[in-house]
Amino acid sequence: MDRLKATDRIVILTGAGISKESGLDTFRDTDGIWAQYDLEDVATPQGFARNPALVLDFYNARRSGLLDPAVQPNAAHAALARLEREWPGEVLLVTQNIDDLHERGGSTNLIHMHGELMKARCLDTGRAIDWREDITTDTPSPMTGRPGRLRPHVVWFGEMPLEMDRIYTALAECSLFLSIGTSGTVYPAAGFVQEASLHGAYAVELNMEPSAGHTLFDEAICGQATKLVPAFVDRLLALAAM
Ligand code: BJW
């Protein structure tokens, strides 16, 4: 990593672990979301077709959780925003998270590859709009006026994640790939480390525990995101100042 130049591009992938210390649940930890819900029921198009009310309620609860004033960006979100501001080269943040804590923490060059909790999508027009209220099976779409035609703007299993062309271009052009707070079990995100490494990037993982693909990284550092990320950003910005 010492060979990194200040003008080099950085791609950062984040997952649920970065928001854990802000009070949001991860998915696969023992106290995570998939310990409470069956993912086939709430995170697949088939589950939504079978029981839309159950899926809408699941996302309504998560939306109101995110709107809780106690849920705020943490030191890891803030450190990534600082890196974007102060690193001379481009920093692209690709998050699997549907929360808005990166934006609230100050990041602007950001892709939500699994969608956004604070948006709803019209099933007829495909258009996504800002949305902060509960959605029910009777909620009319603001685009068409038709009830029952709104869904959360999220990417379920079997659906194509968003902005993949832009992400793969960035992975091919970056010199550092940093993965933070993700178990590395969900594709295509879990394959990004191989894609970036294939094109010559140095790859670093910061996670509470070694992820499923930790051996694919040049460095894998274990610990809490709020401790590891600010320290790693300090290390990078010291390199840029040399
Ligand atoms: C901390 C911490 C702290 C805790 N500090 N760390 C067989 C092989 C390969 C692929 C497939 C396959 N069969 C099916 C597939 C495809 C499928 C898939 O990957 N399935 C696997 C389960 C096998 N993928 C898809 O269907 C995707 N689409 C797709 O592939 O389209 C085709 C395509 C082909 C080619 C190119 C491109 C596309 C869509 C995936 C959609 C995922 N959706 C979800 C839910 C929707 C959003 C929501 O409700 O929030 O997205 S699932 C869920 O998992 C959510 C997350 O974004 C995603 C990833 O989870 P994440 O973030 O990694 O969380 P955890 O909980 O797993 O990990 C947290 C980590 O943090 C842990 O390691 C902790 O230790 C750590 N941690 N506290 C630091 N304080």
Side-chain angles (χ1 to χ4, degrees):
M1 196 173 89
D2 292 343
R3 274 184 277 140
L4 202 65
K5 295 190 298 298
T7 49
D8 283 346
R9 293 180 172 162
I10 299 175
V11 174
I12 302 165
L13 173 70
T14 62
I18 198 167
S19 297
K20 172 76 176 171
E21 292 166 79
S22 292
L24 298 181
D25 287 334
T26 61
F27 292 92
R28 295 170 185 82
D29 288 316
T30 46
D31 59 349
I33 293 172
W34 298 152
Q36 303 159 53
Y37 293 89
D38 187 333
L39 70 83
E40 299 285 346
D41 288 338
V42 295
T44 63
Q46 295 80 6
F48 184 59
R50 265 195 315 272
N51 191 345
L54 175 80
V55 177
L56 294 174
D57 283 348
F58 171 70
Y59 285 99
N60 289 340
R62 288 178 62 200
R63 194 181 303 102
S64 52
L66 183 56
L67 287 168
D68 183 331
V71 174
Q72 296 294 335
N74 64 45
H77 297 103
L80 295 184
R82 177 176 171 230
L83 183 66
E84 184 192 315
R85 279 195 308 274
E86 297 184 16
W87 181 257
E90 189 193 357
V91 176
L92 176 66
L93 184 50
V94 179
T95 187
Q96 299 170 87
N97 299 343
I98 62 173
D99 68 56
D100 60 357
L101 296 180
H102 281 305
E103 292 91 322
R104 286 201 254 156
S107 290
T108 58
N109 196 21
L110 171 68
I111 295 175
H112 277 280
M113 64 176 290
H114 290 165
E116 296 175 64
L117 189 52
M118 290 300 173
K119 287 188 176 167
R121 195 190 316 151
C122 173
L123 289 166
D124 295 316
T125 65
R127 226 182 104 201
I129 47 162
D130 292 340
W131 196 272
R132 294 171 72 85
E133 312 299 324
D134 282 358
I135 305 173
T136 72
T137 52
D138 295 328
T139 306
S141 162
M143 269 67 86
T144 62
R146 286 183 68 195
R149 304 297 295 164
L150 272 189
R151 62 165 276 184
H153 182 53
V154 300
V155 177
W156 291 320
F157 285 104
E159 296 184 322
M160 184 61 83
L162 309 175
E163 300 202 53
M164 291 310 299
D165 289 349
R166 198 177 146 207
I167 295 171
Y168 279 114
T169 300
L171 290 169
E173 291 175 349
C174 72
S175 300
L176 174 67
F177 174 73
L178 183 57
S179 172
I180 303 170
T182 174
S183 59
T185 48
V186 176
Y187 287 83
F192 289 174
V193 56
Q194 284 162 301
E195 190 69 21
S197 298
L198 188 74
H199 289 89
Y202 190 82
V204 179
E205 167 174 290
L206 307 178
N207 203 47
M208 188 63 92
E209 59 194 5
S211 74
H214 72 279
T215 54
L216 301 167
F217 290 84
D218 297 292
E219 281 182 59
I221 306 170
C222 289
Q224 287 174 274
T226 54
K227 302 275 185 316
L228 295 187
V229 180
F232 194 81
V233 166
D234 284 346
R235 187 176 149 195
L236 281 174
L237 292 176
L239 274 180
M242 274 164 57

